Amino acid sequence: FWKDREMAEPIQQLTRNNNPQERQTIPFTLIQRKEKLGDLLYEKRQYGKAKWACIKMKEKQYEQSICLGFMKLMRYICEQNSSGLYLGITIPIVTIVHTNESQSEMTPSVTVAYYLPEVLQDEPPHPFDSDIIIEEWPSTIVYSRSFRGITNEDSIMREINLLAEILESPELCLQDTFIIAGYTNPAAANRHNEIWFLQRP
């Protein structure tokens, strides 16, 4: 799956945890940490207005969508852009997921998104792939909770239901739109992920 030579370097960078300076973490302001008996239940954060490179995917399975979407974004990051340069990895790579109104199942359409590094925010390089769109997202407050392992329809729905139970006022957040933030390569087994609930604007 990861055989493309052009993909090898960034994939290694994303998985090489001993070299964190090569990966820029998306900046945010921590508003609140909610703990219980020493365990972190969730963090409330504010992410500023920013530009993201986004691609909509609609494969049969979530895992296929994120792997294919991530691969297309990696090609954009790896020189398939109007600057001809390697743009650099930012983490997390996020995926917007949608559920039905009762939050009992996910819809197949997802958006995989890459945060453009600070130096490129003003003038993002143009993607050669017409499926990739540069979008400006407004400043957003998110409630974030960590989880490990694979991300699929079952694990995501479990995490959505879990965080909904933990939050004092989940109704303040969007009820059908959530974000999965991935800090490790989508092909890794023990992935570090977060589920984000988005506060209503």
Side-chain angles (χ1 to χ4, degrees):
F1 199 89
W2 304 99
K3 287 196 180 93
D4 286 21
R5 243 183 332 189
E6 68 192 277
M7 303 286 295
E9 183 200 351
I11 296 297
Q12 283 163 0
Q13 288 205 0
L14 200 58
T15 49
R16 206 186 295 144
N17 289 327
N18 59 348
N19 237 344
Q21 74 275 13
E22 293 179 3
R23 307 179 304 168
Q24 183 183 325
T25 303
I26 301 171
F28 64 84
T29 304
L30 181 62
I31 300 171
Q32 181 194 11
R33 279 174 68 90
K34 182 76 172 179
E35 295 186 7
K36 185 178 181 183
L37 303 174
D39 279 345
L40 180 62
L41 295 181
Y42 64 82
E43 285 187 346
K44 183 179 182 182
R45 307 171 180 166
Q46 177 150 25
Y47 286 88
K49 183 174 79 169
K51 293 193 179 81
W52 296 70
C54 306
I55 185 159
K56 284 191 164 51
M57 303 298 294
K58 197 175 180 178
E59 299 299 317
K60 282 198 172 68
Q61 288 179 304
Y62 174 82
E63 291 269 271
Q64 291 172 314
S65 286
I66 57 163
C67 281
L68 288 170
F70 178 71
M71 212 149 78
K72 282 173 171 278
L73 287 173
M74 284 313 257
R75 292 203 181 105
Y76 165 65
I77 294 165
C78 291
E79 304 173 12
Q80 290 192 18
N81 61 66
S82 56
S83 74
L85 299 173
Y86 170 59
L87 305 183
I89 299 284
T90 59
I91 52 170
I93 298 279
V94 307
T95 310
I96 303 171
V97 301
H98 303 281
T99 66
N100 55 2
E101 280 182 32
S102 62
Q103 287 182 12
S104 60
E105 61 180 11
M106 272 169 62
T107 59
S109 182
V110 303
T111 300
V112 187
Y114 157 75
Y115 175 91
L116 284 141
E118 299 292 322
V119 292
L120 302 174
Q121 280 286 327
D122 289 343
E123 292 185 25
H126 186 71
F128 292 161
D129 184 340
S130 59
D131 289 342
I132 297 175
I133 310 292
I134 305 294
E135 293 181 2
E136 184 168 83
W137 293 3
S139 175
T140 308
I141 289 176
V142 311
Y143 296 83
S144 164
R145 178 178 167 83
S146 274
F147 68 101
R148 297 200 81 89
I150 60 165
T151 48
N152 57 28
E153 289 78 358
D154 292 342
S155 67
I156 291 168
M157 290 312 304
R158 187 178 66 235
E159 296 300 327
I160 287 173
N161 292 327
L162 191 61
L163 186 51
E165 283 174 25
I166 291 170
L167 290 177
E168 293 83 9
S169 309
E171 70 279 357
L172 295 178
C173 298
L174 297 177
Q175 296 296 298
D176 61 355
T177 304
F178 307 91
I179 283 180
I180 306 300
Y183 290 83
T184 21
N185 164 356
N190 189 24
R191 299 214 286 271
H192 169 210
N193 316 293
E194 291 171 343
I195 176 82
W196 293 359
F197 279 32
L198 309 172
Q199 188 166 298
R200 293 176 191 275

